[in-house]
Amino acid sequence: MRSAALILTLVATVLGASVVPPSSWSYPYPWPVQYYNFTSQRSNLSMAYMDVSAANTTYASNKTIVLLHGKNFCGATWEDTARRLSTHGFRVIVADQIGFCKSSKPPSYQFSLQQLAYNTHALLESLSIKQTYVLGHSMGGMLATRFALMYPEITSHLILTNPLGLEDWKALGVPWRNLDLLYADELVTNYTSLRKYQQATYYVNTWKPEYDVWVNMLVSLYQLPGENTTFAWNMAEATDMVLTQPIAYEFGLIKSKTLLLIGAKDNTAIGKAWSPPEVQAKLGNYALLGKETVAKIPNADLVEFDGLGHSPQVQDSEKYHQALFDWLDRSS
């Protein structure tokens, strides 16, 4: 029997496409990692994902939920939420997007929210999933919104946790930054810079030792031999993607039942770091953005966590998941 790698190589030869294997990154994931192999933009790629079965069928026994990670996150960071959802009766699909974590890191790829949503939809089709809940955090929330707009027939419920894209940063004055400069920024990323950023935005200037696991996870990707520079380039492309592809003008088009879960102390805004002070002052006000956004979405609810930042699911897991499951039970 031919191996998957050999089959990909043969297909690539026929199509004139390159083969970009899955990452060699050995970070342990909580469930077995599977790979969806497909051809995209003249490359044969592997998209890593975990498929977590429902551990309890008392609740929503035939329902599926897809979890979409943010830019500084991986599928593994959803472990707590995925376990709780499985116990609540959901089949949980947790994917690493192309360019991230255990998935292929192509040296040349046009990153767009539409492309990543298309890839995710193709994964679900390969698993014969016809309808799903979609939960996204940070960049993953921006991607989840684009997914719901592109595939309303499959997206029954949309859950956004401190999503990016609630405002158009370019229109508010954030200067464009070319990919070479973004790449240079990514190349100097280290533990100190990541912790400083996460402490200021994710956890509202507090820090607990358990947060280090996610910083170290990300640092290991920037230090991965043979892949670190490609990963840094992919992250620069992802930054350009979220800065230049706003979704703020399309919330009124969402057809799914929607929940916004907002840590109101969050101040995340792509490009804030290189913006003039007068622009910085008006960006990332999630206490206001959550209210403005829920008013735009036809069938939406808002839950705000007054003392929490960009990662409420980590900072106060019990409070976050209580709000999530209360809504899931009501909306079902």
Side-chain angles (χ1 to χ4, degrees), residues 215-262:
V215 179
N216 290 324
M217 178 192 71
L218 193 55
V219 169
S220 70
L221 282 160
Y222 283 98
Q223 297 175 344
L224 185 63
E227 292 184 42
N228 58 317
T229 55
T230 307
F231 176 70
W233 179 254
N234 289 164
M235 293 304 96
E237 292 178 297
T239 297
D240 179 76
M241 173 184 73
V242 298
L243 178 60
T244 60
Q245 299 174 27
I247 57 170
Y249 308 110
E250 298 177 68
F251 287 115
L253 302 175
I254 294 174
K255 294 179 168 49
S256 313
K257 294 180 180 179
T258 303
L259 172 65
L260 279 169
L261 293 161
I262 300 294

Side-chain angles (χ1 to χ4, degrees), residues 104-126:
S104 297
K105 299 176 180 60
S108 178
Y109 200 69
Q110 182 192 41
F111 276 75
S112 70
L113 294 171
Q114 284 87 347
Q115 179 69 70
L116 299 188
Y118 178 89
N119 296 348
T120 303
H121 182 257
L123 166 64
L124 297 180
E125 281 195 319
S126 76

